[in-house]
Amino acid sequence: MSETFGAIIVAAGAGRRMQGADKLFSMVAGRPLLAHAVSAFEACWDVSRIALVMSDANIEQGRQLVEFESWTKVVAICTGGARRQDSVHCGLQNIGHCDWVAIHDGGRPLLRPGMVSRGWEAARETGAAIPVLPLVDTVKEVDSGFVVGTLDRSRYVAVQTPQVFRYGLLLRAHHEITVDVTDDAAMVEMLGVRVKTYDGRARNIKITTPEDLTLAEAYLG
């Protein structure tokens, strides 16, 4: 029996740096930003089911978008929690059975289906994989406004999504790890599991400011 692969798209954030605009439904290349992220998973033949995690204020608009786009793989639209990890947990509880799951930021509209497949392939080694990019800028440690050290950037990477995990492994991490984290990989690392890396994509940017919307429009155009 073949393994099943699901995707949880986390779109419940407040977008505090967007100057009052709701980035998820901002129009980019003629479509709401969120539509681009979901469509990448809808088009990925590996993925069989998708859960959308949204803020309570956007749930109805999310349902309307799913209906308008005629997405067939979206099986759940649920309300997120106070923290990002709480929102992911909501998605895990609502997506239904799957052997593997990809966690993706709804604010990353430039994902391509091939990157999803690469993540799944990489995750098979240890049960967890994340996309990374090498750092190009010098990285310094600062304290109270002063430089206290320069880090070896060859040992550091920038992390993107989608992050891919065995469903059972990620669910266990969410049950056992309660401290605040910035991504799901950190929770799995705390279980002692080695997280595999795979090549990210420079254009797979996360929209956090109005200027990022302009950049995404340029890329998609």
Side-chain angles (χ1 to χ4, degrees):
M1 184 176 179
S2 60
E3 294 181 304
T4 53
F5 188 19
I8 296 171
I9 301 177
V10 187
R16 294 181 179 88
R17 285 174 284 181
M18 288 298 294
Q19 300 176 6
D22 187 338
K23 68 179 179 182
L24 295 172
F25 294 98
S26 296
M27 299 302 289
V28 179
R31 301 174 73 193
L33 183 145
L34 180 61
H36 294 283
V38 180
S39 292
F41 289 98
E42 182 79 17
C44 184
W45 70 267
D46 296 320
V47 174
S48 60
R49 51 203 306 118
I50 300 168
L52 269 177
V53 187
M54 310 191 71
S55 67
D56 187 58
N58 282 340
I59 284 286
E60 183 54 36
Q61 198 169 358
R63 292 194 181 105
Q64 293 173 7
L65 180 63
V66 171
E67 182 177 353
F68 178 80
E69 293 282 347
S70 299
W71 289 320
T72 61
K73 296 180 181 180
V74 177
V75 298
I77 305 174
C78 51
T79 302
R83 303 174 299 175
R84 184 183 187 281
Q85 64 212 76
D86 299 326
S87 294
V88 173
H89 192 207
C90 290
L92 289 170
Q93 292 177 312
N94 284 275
I95 196 171
H97 173 75
C98 51
D99 300 294
W100 296 86
V101 64
I103 311 299
H104 186 61
D105 298 321
R108 291 186 188 269
L110 295 161
L111 177 67
R112 294 292 178 264
M115 188 172 172
V116 180
S117 300
R118 292 200 311 275
W120 191 14
E121 186 63 32
R124 291 179 179 279
E125 185 170 335
T126 67
I130 60 174
V132 300
L133 290 175
L135 297 181
V136 295
D137 296 320
T138 297
V139 181
K140 293 186 181 291
E141 182 181 358
V142 298
D143 183 30
S144 301
F146 293 92
V147 173
V148 296
T150 301
L151 306 181
D152 178 4
R153 70 182 179 194
S154 67
R155 301 185 63 245
Y156 296 88
V157 292
V159 179
Q160 300 181 323
T161 65
Q163 300 187 355
V164 183
F165 308 90
R166 282 202 173 274
Y167 176 90
L169 171 63
L170 186 57
L171 188 63
R172 176 190 160 204
H174 276 266
H175 285 160
E176 295 185 18
I177 306 301
T178 59
V179 298
D180 291 350
V181 296
T182 56
D183 71 351
D184 296 275
M187 304 175 81
V188 172
E189 293 163 32
M190 292 177 189
L191 297 180
V193 175
R194 298 184 70 195
V195 177
K196 180 74 173 179
T197 63
Y198 68 99
D199 289 341
R201 186 170 178 264
R203 289 194 175 190
N204 183 31
I205 60 173
K206 185 176 182 180
I207 306 301
T208 56
T209 69
E211 290 75 19
D212 293 332
L213 285 173
T214 302
L215 182 59
E217 179 83 37
Y219 281 150
L220 287 167

